[in-house]
Amino acid sequence: MKIIGKHNLESGQPGTIKLVVENAEDLWALYNIMEKGDSIRISTSRKVQLDTGSKNTSIKKNITITLKIEDIEFSPNSIRFKGKNISENEYIKIGQYHTDEIIVNSTFNLSKGYWDDIHLETLKRATDVTVMSEIVAILMEAGVSNLFYITSSQTVSKGKIIQSMPKKKVGFSKHEIKENKFFNKILNQFIKQINFENTKVLIIAGPGSTKEDFKKFLEKTIESNVKEWAELKNNLNKIIYTESSSGFKHSLQEILSKPNIKALIKDTKCIDDVSVMERFNEIKGTQPDKLFFGYKSFDIAYKNFAIDTLIVTDGYIRKLSALERKDLSDKIKDLKVNKIKVCQFSSLHFTGEKIDEFGGICGILKYIVEEISELGNEENNDEKEENDLKKENKNENSNKIKNENLKKSNKETKKEDKKEEKGNNTKKVKENNKSMPQQKIANKGNRNVYEEEEDYYEDDDYYNEEDEYDEYDYYNYNKRK
């Protein structure tokens, strides 16, 4: 990021600065400087309605507007913002909303009612050329490769390759064919992605022999066609091979902590952050009471003059209210005056991601503070109580769910039982109907008329109509027959 001009840019004062965004890295820094309520003056284009008499037509006009920012969104390629117009303009009324974006090569004026030390420190780092040295890391193991682009404030994944690999055998085998394809993909990937002019060092790391096999493959490829791979050959001195525990992102801190890697990138901010993180993890493992986590613990340590190193992420700072931010900014300024180390990590960097896991603000103490230890114990007890309550609630909910399920299952079983009873009854009726003897009453041509015997049940007494005939009916019946 480049400063073109500035007016009254001092801590604790209102001021204006004119900036040019030079690369995508600048966008994250700018996102951490811009806030709701700031004013931005920028050249843009806007559709304008023209009244030509018979028809209303719209055309795009290039205009310069000043907006009071109400909303800001970050993406890797732009910062999108929305606000109300606060300056007289021919094509847009005062108070009318407009949405615009800042991209690489955008030029604009940014005005703030209050510039604090955190704003100015972020701006200083973003405009300092020495912190923009770029590091590229390729982490690989059998069948897996990850390409990372590491700057002062971001760790960006630029590509991943996954390929199934057969078992290694003696002599030329399927494994060697697959491995050559795998290495060829890695080579083509980083040739497309890496700009060797801006890259200070290319680290190739991983466990086992995969990186060494890739080195041999790379040398053979360059020898086979020197002209085609001339640029790569001229930059071979930037490539360093080193061991790592895996081919994935979490191994980056381990790699950048090595003395030989530190020596190559010693003038970058990235390596300073890694060194602080390494010391923090070391104390965490040996003397955890000499660390503090959270704003309450920080405030206690500050009042007791016990801070050795303060670590805070830009993501944490962005979440603070104006009063909280001012309080933190004043304390940071006081710490720096007293030569206390203050580190601001980027939430997009792998070091910042780790600190965000601890709440976004933490640090190292000069000596153990009992009040902080007690606060930690209280917080742990509170967490245990919360966890116990959550478990109880879960058990209660699970019991309720079980009871509801039992009720539902009971209802369903009752319904099924009723269905079965109905089914059985209908079956019995059908069977009884089938078993009933049929009496032939009349035979007229091909037509047969039958009358079924009817059964009656009354108070468990059974009788049949056929039993109730008299002698006269019997005589007449035989006579007709």
Side-chain angles (χ1 to χ4, degrees):
M1 194 146 57
K2 189 177 180 182
I3 298 173
I4 297 174
K6 53 186 177 181
H7 175 69
N8 197 32
L9 200 66
E10 293 179 10
S11 179
Q13 299 293 325
T16 303
I17 189 166
K18 190 173 184 179
L19 297 165
V20 178
V21 176
E22 294 181 309
N23 52 56
E25 179 79 3
D26 293 338
L27 292 171
W28 179 250
L30 184 61
Y31 178 66
N32 286 292
I33 294 170
M34 291 173 68
E35 293 174 304
K36 292 177 184 178
D38 293 349
S39 298
I40 186 166
R41 186 170 177 79
I42 191 168
S43 296
T44 186
S45 59
R46 184 178 172 90
K47 277 189 178 180
V48 178
Q49 296 289 334
L50 295 177
D51 189 2
T52 56
S54 58
K55 289 183 179 180
N56 288 330
T57 56
S58 62
I59 59 168
K60 270 196 172 183
K61 282 277 187 182
N62 292 325
I63 59 173
T64 301
I65 57 172
T66 306
L67 301 176
K68 188 173 184 180
I69 299 170
E70 290 190 6
D71 191 35
I72 313 165
E73 291 178 6
F74 172 80
S75 74
N77 300 315
S78 68
I79 295 173
R80 194 168 179 81
F81 59 93
K82 177 185 175 182
K84 287 181 181 178
N85 179 40
I86 56 171
S87 64
E88 290 287 344
N89 195 291
E90 185 181 350
Y91 301 107
I92 181 169
K93 296 175 183 177
I94 290 176
Q96 196 170 345
Y97 279 99
H98 181 80
T99 302
D100 213 324
E101 64 178 4
I102 297 169
I103 57 173
V104 175
N105 297 323
S106 293
T107 304
F108 57 92
N109 291 346
L110 181 67
S111 299
K112 297 178 83 69
Y114 184 89
W115 286 84
D116 61 32
D117 289 314
I118 298 171
H119 293 135
L120 297 174
E121 182 64 27
T122 306
L123 184 65
K124 184 183 175 182
R125 286 202 313 271
T127 53
D128 186 358
V129 180
T130 59
V131 301
M132 292 306 297
S133 299
E134 293 171 2
I135 305 159
V136 177
I138 300 172
L139 308 186
M140 62 174 72
E141 55 184 73
V144 179
S145 171
N146 285 287
L147 176 65
F148 295 102
Y149 178 87
I150 305 165
T151 67
S152 59
S153 63
Q154 294 186 67
T155 305
V156 184
S157 176
K158 285 289 186 180
K160 186 174 187 176
I161 297 168
I162 299 174
Q163 182 176 298
S164 60
M165 298 289 286
K167 288 182 179 180
K168 207 169 188 178
K169 293 180 180 178
V170 179
F172 193 79
S173 62
K174 286 183 179 180
H175 178 274
E176 194 168 343
I177 295 166
K178 283 272 189 180
E179 190 176 58
N180 286 337
K181 284 183 179 178
F182 176 58
F183 289 157
N184 199 47
K185 286 178 183 177
I186 295 170
L187 179 59
N188 289 329
Q189 184 191 58
F190 83 71
I191 286 296
K192 288 177 184 177
Q193 295 283 355
I194 298 168
N195 182 350
F196 281 104
E197 289 181 11
N198 297 331
T199 303
K200 185 163 189 179
V201 61
L202 169 59
I203 301 164
I204 297 174
S209 61
T210 307
K211 62 187 177 300
E212 299 299 333
D213 293 339
F214 178 74
K215 185 181 180 182
K216 291 172 187 176
F217 170 83
L218 195 62
E219 288 169 354
K220 281 183 184 178
T221 305
I222 292 168
E223 284 174 12
S224 64
N225 196 335
V226 178
K227 286 184 180 178
E228 186 182 349
W229 303 103
E231 186 185 9
L232 181 58
K233 188 179 180 181
N234 294 333
N235 288 282
L236 282 176
N237 61 330
K238 292 182 178 180
I239 301 175
I240 183 167
Y241 297 86
T242 188
E243 191 75 19
S244 70
S245 58
S246 78
F248 297 92
K249 188 178 181 180
H250 64 265
S251 294
L252 285 173
Q253 186 182 334
E254 166 199 336
I255 293 161
L256 296 176
S257 299
K258 295 187 176 187
N260 59 331
I261 306 294
K262 280 183 179 180
L264 288 168
I265 51 178
K266 61 185 178 182
D267 58 339
T268 64
K269 180 184 179 291
C270 170
I271 202 63
D272 291 338
D273 291 352
V274 170
S275 298
V276 170
M277 199 70 204
E278 190 180 12
R279 184 175 168 231
F280 180 86
N281 288 331
E282 190 180 333
I283 294 168
K284 188 170 175 279
T286 55
Q287 295 176 292
D289 287 338
K290 284 189 74 176
L291 299 178
F292 65 88
F293 303 91
Y295 196 84
K296 284 183 182 178
S297 297
F298 161 67
D299 192 46
I300 293 165
Y302 174 78
K303 288 173 182 175
N304 285 277
F305 306 98
I307 297 173
D308 176 82
T309 305
L310 172 66
I311 308 169
V312 63
T313 65
D314 47 26
Y316 173 81
I317 293 167
R318 281 197 69 82
K319 293 174 185 176
L320 299 176
S321 65
L323 288 172
E324 289 170 336
R325 184 185 175 106
K326 187 178 183 306
D327 181 55
L328 179 63
S329 178
D330 291 341
K331 285 174 180 173
I332 286 173
K333 186 177 181 179
D334 185 50
L335 290 172
K336 286 181 177 179
V337 168
N338 289 290
K339 297 183 179 179
I340 304 297
K341 191 173 181 66
V342 177
C343 303
Q344 186 178 324
F345 287 3
S346 169
S347 292
L348 293 183
H349 200 268
F350 66 90
T351 52
E353 287 174 3
K354 297 255 182 178
I355 298 302
D356 277 332
E357 288 174 9
F358 298 126
I361 184 167
C362 56
I364 301 167
L365 297 168
K366 291 177 183 176
Y367 49 85
I368 295 168
V369 180
E370 288 183 9
E371 196 177 345
I372 292 173
S373 300
E374 288 170 5
L375 181 67
N377 292 330
E378 285 175 9
E379 287 175 353
N380 289 332
N381 291 331
D382 290 340
E383 283 179 9
K384 285 180 182 178
E385 286 176 5
E386 284 178 11
N387 291 330
D388 291 338
L389 285 170
K390 284 178 183 178
K391 284 180 182 178
E392 285 177 8
N393 290 331
K394 281 183 180 178
N395 292 330
E396 285 177 5
N397 291 331
S398 62
N399 289 330
K400 283 180 182 178
I401 291 164
K402 283 179 182 177
N403 291 331
E404 286 174 3
N405 290 332
L406 283 170
K407 285 178 182 178
K408 284 180 183 177
S409 62
N410 290 332
K411 284 181 181 178
E412 287 173 0
T413 51
K414 283 179 181 178
K415 284 181 182 177
E416 287 174 2
D417 291 340
K418 284 181 180 178
K419 283 181 181 178
E420 285 179 4
E421 284 177 8
K422 284 182 181 178
N424 292 331
N425 290 334
T426 52
K427 281 181 183 178
K428 283 179 181 178
V429 171
K430 284 179 181 177
E431 286 172 2
N432 290 331
N433 289 336
K434 283 180 182 177
S435 62
M436 285 178 183
Q438 293 180 334
Q439 292 181 339
K440 190 172 181 180
I441 295 175
N443 185 9
K444 294 180 181 180
N446 293 325
R447 292 180 63 192
N448 294 321
V449 179
Y450 293 91
E451 182 178 306
E452 292 183 352
E453 292 181 340
E454 294 183 62
D455 295 339
Y456 293 90
Y457 297 85
E458 185 175 308
D459 297 329
D460 295 331
D461 292 331
Y462 171 80
Y463 65 94
N464 194 310
E465 274 188 344
E466 197 177 26
D467 297 333
E468 293 189 353
Y469 63 86
D470 56 21
E471 290 180 2
Y472 178 78
D473 289 333
Y474 178 73
Y475 174 78
N476 289 333
Y477 172 74
N478 284 329
K479 196 173 184 181
R480 285 196 303 273
K481 195 174 177 180

XYZ file of all heavy atoms in Angstrom, residues 292-310 326-342 361-367 369 371-372 375:
386
model
N -1.149 -15.570 30.283
C -2.502 -15.077 30.577
C -3.348 -15.141 29.314
O -2.839 -15.029 28.199
C -2.465 -13.646 31.151
C -1.960 -12.599 30.203
C -2.826 -11.948 29.326
C -0.619 -12.235 30.188
C -2.361 -10.972 28.458
C -0.142 -11.258 29.329
C -1.018 -10.626 28.460
N -4.670 -15.331 29.509
C -5.611 -15.458 28.401
C -6.844 -14.609 28.690
O -7.392 -14.661 29.780
C -6.038 -16.923 28.221
C -4.901 -17.872 27.987
C -4.288 -18.515 29.059
C -4.432 -18.127 26.707
C -3.241 -19.395 28.850
C -3.387 -19.007 26.486
C -2.786 -19.637 27.563
N -7.289 -13.841 27.708
C -8.498 -13.037 27.853
C -8.229 -11.637 28.382
O -7.182 -11.353 28.964
N -9.230 -10.759 28.172
C -9.052 -9.346 28.523
C -8.976 -9.124 30.034
O -8.226 -8.265 30.498
C -10.185 -8.504 27.920
C -9.858 -7.026 27.923
C -9.103 -6.463 26.895
C -10.276 -6.201 28.962
C -8.784 -5.120 26.892
C -9.959 -4.850 28.965
C -9.211 -4.315 27.936
O -8.877 -2.983 27.944
N -9.740 -9.878 30.819
C -9.710 -9.709 32.288
C -8.311 -9.972 32.824
O -7.776 -9.200 33.631
C -10.713 -10.660 32.950
C -12.161 -10.232 32.827
C -13.068 -11.204 33.570
C -14.530 -10.818 33.423
N -15.418 -11.783 34.102
N -7.720 -11.075 32.371
C -6.360 -11.428 32.808
C -5.347 -10.394 32.331
O -4.415 -10.029 33.062
C -5.974 -12.807 32.277
O -6.819 -13.791 32.809
N -5.545 -9.896 31.102
C -4.662 -8.852 30.562
C -4.731 -7.593 31.429
O -3.700 -6.977 31.755
C -5.043 -8.539 29.119
C -4.541 -7.209 28.619
C -3.178 -6.979 28.443
C -5.423 -6.176 28.340
C -2.713 -5.742 27.992
C -4.970 -4.946 27.896
C -3.612 -4.731 27.723
N -5.949 -7.210 31.808
C -6.136 -6.004 32.612
C -5.448 -6.142 33.975
O -4.807 -5.199 34.454
C -7.642 -5.746 32.793
C -7.929 -4.360 33.355
O -7.329 -3.389 32.871
O -8.735 -4.265 34.301
N -5.567 -7.323 34.594
C -4.913 -7.569 35.887
C -3.392 -7.496 35.735
O -2.695 -6.872 36.546
C -5.340 -8.941 36.460
C -6.833 -8.930 36.829
C -4.509 -9.308 37.686
C -7.418 -10.309 37.059
N -2.881 -8.140 34.683
C -1.431 -8.142 34.434
C -0.919 -6.725 34.167
O 0.167 -6.339 34.629
C -1.107 -9.050 33.253
N -1.717 -5.940 33.439
C -1.336 -4.555 33.119
C -1.241 -3.704 34.393
O -0.282 -2.945 34.577
C -2.360 -3.962 32.150
C -2.165 -2.494 31.843
C -1.190 -2.075 30.951
C -2.953 -1.525 32.471
C -1.008 -0.728 30.668
C -2.782 -0.185 32.202
C -1.804 0.214 31.303
O -1.622 1.558 31.042
N -2.231 -3.861 35.278
C -2.243 -3.082 36.524
C -1.116 -3.487 37.474
O -0.677 -2.687 38.293
C -3.598 -3.244 37.222
C -4.728 -2.507 36.507
C -6.088 -2.825 37.120
C -7.202 -2.107 36.367
N -8.544 -2.487 36.863
N -0.662 -4.755 37.346
C 0.428 -5.248 38.195
C 1.811 -5.116 37.535
O 2.795 -5.637 38.065
C 0.172 -6.718 38.561
C -0.911 -6.881 39.608
O -0.661 -6.769 40.805
N -2.137 -7.130 39.160
N 1.852 -4.446 36.375
C 3.124 -4.245 35.635
C 3.834 -5.586 35.399
O 5.058 -5.690 35.494
C 4.060 -3.280 36.390
C 3.440 -1.961 36.724
C 2.911 -1.713 37.995
C 3.346 -0.962 35.770
C 2.320 -0.494 38.303
C 2.749 0.261 36.063
C 2.230 0.497 37.337
N 3.043 -6.610 35.079
C 3.589 -7.968 34.975
C 3.704 -8.472 33.539
O 4.097 -9.607 33.305
C 2.710 -8.930 35.768
N 3.380 -7.630 32.550
C 3.376 -8.096 31.153
C 4.787 -8.088 30.573
O 5.482 -7.079 30.597
C 2.428 -7.243 30.283
C 0.980 -7.392 30.777
C 2.517 -7.664 28.816
C -0.003 -6.476 30.098
N 5.174 -9.238 30.041
C 6.435 -9.351 29.302
C 6.181 -9.203 27.800
O 6.888 -8.475 27.108
C 7.083 -10.710 29.586
C 8.348 -10.929 28.787
O 9.396 -10.435 29.215
O 8.280 -11.584 27.723
N 5.155 -9.894 27.289
C 4.785 -9.835 25.876
C 3.265 -9.911 25.746
O 2.633 -10.768 26.356
C 5.411 -11.011 25.090
O 6.817 -11.012 25.286
C 5.100 -10.916 23.601
N 2.704 -8.990 24.978
C 1.269 -9.009 24.698
C 1.072 -9.468 23.252
O 1.737 -8.990 22.343
C 0.660 -7.621 24.875
C -0.804 -7.456 24.415
C -1.742 -8.283 25.283
C -1.227 -5.990 24.423
N -10.548 1.962 22.304
C -9.762 3.091 22.809
C -8.992 2.692 24.073
O -7.815 3.040 24.237
C -10.673 4.281 23.103
C -9.897 5.559 23.469
C -10.837 6.711 23.713
C -10.066 7.993 23.996
N -9.089 7.888 25.083
N -9.657 1.932 24.961
C -9.004 1.475 26.195
C -7.804 0.588 25.868
O -6.720 0.751 26.436
C -10.019 0.706 27.049
C -9.423 0.218 28.361
O -8.882 1.049 29.115
O -9.489 -0.996 28.623
N -8.001 -0.359 24.929
C -6.911 -1.259 24.532
C -5.786 -0.477 23.856
O -4.598 -0.709 24.133
C -7.447 -2.339 23.583
C -6.416 -3.343 23.054
C -5.803 -4.153 24.183
C -7.030 -4.260 22.006
N -6.147 0.464 22.983
C -5.147 1.268 22.272
C -4.284 2.082 23.244
O -3.054 2.159 23.094
C -5.850 2.206 21.285
O -4.924 3.028 20.625
N -4.922 2.684 24.250
C -4.176 3.471 25.249
C -3.209 2.596 26.042
O -2.066 2.997 26.313
C -5.152 4.167 26.214
C -5.958 5.269 25.537
O -5.531 5.732 24.457
O -7.015 5.658 26.083
N -3.660 1.389 26.390
C -2.803 0.472 27.151
C -1.627 -0.025 26.305
O -0.497 -0.147 26.798
C -3.630 -0.706 27.669
C -4.509 -0.329 28.858
C -5.441 -1.455 29.279
C -6.298 -1.003 30.471
N -7.324 -1.975 30.835
N -1.890 -0.296 25.033
C -0.822 -0.732 24.130
C 0.219 0.375 23.968
O 1.433 0.124 23.984
C -1.406 -1.151 22.756
C -2.113 -2.505 22.885
C -0.322 -1.229 21.683
C -2.869 -2.946 21.640
N -0.262 1.599 23.826
C 0.651 2.741 23.702
C 1.539 2.857 24.944
O 2.760 3.075 24.844
C -0.169 4.025 23.527
C 0.674 5.266 23.244
C -0.231 6.468 23.013
C 0.609 7.710 22.706
N -0.250 8.892 22.458
N 0.946 2.691 26.124
C 1.688 2.767 27.382
C 2.724 1.642 27.482
O 3.854 1.855 27.933
C 0.710 2.692 28.559
C 1.408 2.891 29.895
O 2.167 3.875 30.024
O 1.208 2.056 30.795
N 2.341 0.436 27.038
C 3.266 -0.702 27.059
C 4.474 -0.447 26.164
O 5.616 -0.756 26.528
C 2.544 -1.986 26.616
C 1.490 -2.563 27.568
C 0.747 -3.715 26.900
C 2.130 -3.051 28.865
N 4.217 0.113 24.987
C 5.318 0.395 24.048
C 6.263 1.463 24.594
O 7.487 1.387 24.388
C 4.751 0.825 22.697
C 4.158 -0.338 21.905
C 3.622 0.129 20.564
C 3.096 -1.052 19.760
N 2.540 -0.640 18.468
N 5.686 2.468 25.263
C 6.522 3.512 25.883
C 7.460 2.890 26.911
O 8.627 3.284 27.037
C 5.629 4.601 26.540
C 6.447 5.523 27.429
C 4.913 5.408 25.451
N 6.954 1.870 27.630
C 7.758 1.180 28.644
C 8.550 0.001 28.066
O 9.035 -0.856 28.801
C 6.848 0.690 29.775
C 6.322 1.848 30.616
O 7.062 2.493 31.351
N 5.031 2.136 30.485
N 8.638 -0.017 26.712
C 9.444 -1.015 25.993
C 9.003 -2.458 26.270
O 9.823 -3.365 26.396
C 10.926 -0.831 26.309
C 11.463 0.517 25.845
C 12.935 0.658 26.101
C 13.441 2.017 25.608
N 14.869 2.232 25.860
N 7.696 -2.646 26.367
C 7.113 -3.983 26.473
C 6.761 -4.438 25.062
O 6.187 -3.674 24.279
C 5.842 -3.989 27.353
C 6.136 -3.407 28.742
C 5.254 -5.386 27.456
C 7.126 -4.168 29.572
N 7.100 -5.676 24.731
C 6.851 -6.184 23.384
C 5.355 -6.398 23.157
O 4.688 -7.079 23.938
C 7.595 -7.507 23.182
C 7.613 -7.992 21.733
C 8.507 -9.218 21.590
C 8.566 -9.693 20.151
N 9.207 -8.758 19.230
N 4.844 -5.797 22.083
C 3.442 -5.954 21.697
C 3.398 -6.523 20.282
O 3.984 -5.956 19.359
C 2.683 -4.614 21.747
C 1.241 -4.794 21.276
C 2.706 -4.025 23.151
N -6.672 -12.617 22.480
C -5.743 -11.791 23.266
C -5.147 -12.654 24.379
O -5.867 -13.328 25.121
C -6.425 -10.526 23.833
C -5.395 -9.653 24.565
C -7.602 -10.857 24.734
C -5.885 -8.247 24.894
N -3.827 -12.661 24.462
C -3.124 -13.440 25.481
C -1.692 -12.904 25.570
O -1.360 -11.914 24.914
C -3.125 -14.930 25.138
S -2.424 -15.302 23.527
N -0.854 -13.535 26.367
C 0.514 -13.038 26.480
C 1.341 -13.786 27.504
O 0.885 -14.754 28.125
N 2.572 -13.304 27.645
C 3.542 -13.905 28.558
C 3.774 -12.945 29.725
O 3.886 -11.735 29.528
C 4.868 -14.179 27.815
C 4.608 -15.117 26.621
C 5.911 -14.784 28.759
C 5.766 -15.197 25.642
N 3.828 -13.497 30.936
C 4.044 -12.698 32.154
C 5.516 -12.675 32.558
O 6.252 -13.639 32.313
C 3.211 -13.266 33.308
C 1.682 -13.246 33.158
C 1.053 -14.111 34.235
C 1.147 -11.833 33.210
N 5.906 -11.586 33.208
C 7.269 -11.509 33.772
C 7.390 -12.444 34.974
O 8.429 -13.038 35.218
C 7.574 -10.073 34.219
C 7.712 -9.086 33.074
C 7.929 -7.682 33.631
C 7.999 -6.651 32.516
N 8.103 -5.276 33.061
N 6.320 -12.530 35.727
C 6.291 -13.384 36.914
C 4.846 -13.850 37.125
O 3.905 -13.295 36.540
C 6.796 -12.626 38.153
C 6.159 -11.273 38.359
C 4.942 -11.147 39.017
C 6.774 -10.112 37.869
C 4.343 -9.917 39.192
C 6.181 -8.871 38.035
C 4.966 -8.776 38.700
O 4.375 -7.552 38.866
N 1.304 -14.181 38.605
C 0.365 -13.320 39.333
C -0.748 -14.212 39.883
O -1.483 -14.840 39.121
C -0.211 -12.218 38.414
C -1.187 -11.338 39.191
C 0.896 -11.380 37.791
N -3.541 -13.576 41.345
C -4.907 -13.166 40.994
C -5.325 -13.740 39.644
O -6.473 -14.144 39.454
C -4.994 -11.631 40.962
C -6.424 -11.110 40.997
C -6.503 -9.592 41.038
O -5.451 -8.941 41.339
O -7.593 -9.069 40.772
N -4.377 -13.789 38.704
C -4.663 -14.357 37.374
C -4.851 -15.862 37.482
O -5.751 -16.435 36.852
C -3.529 -14.002 36.381
C -3.536 -12.492 36.093
C -3.694 -14.788 35.071
C -2.372 -12.010 35.263
N -8.177 -16.429 38.965
C -9.191 -16.136 37.950
C -9.305 -17.298 36.970
O -10.410 -17.698 36.585
C -8.838 -14.854 37.193
C -9.823 -14.405 36.108
C -11.147 -13.990 36.723
C -9.233 -13.253 35.287
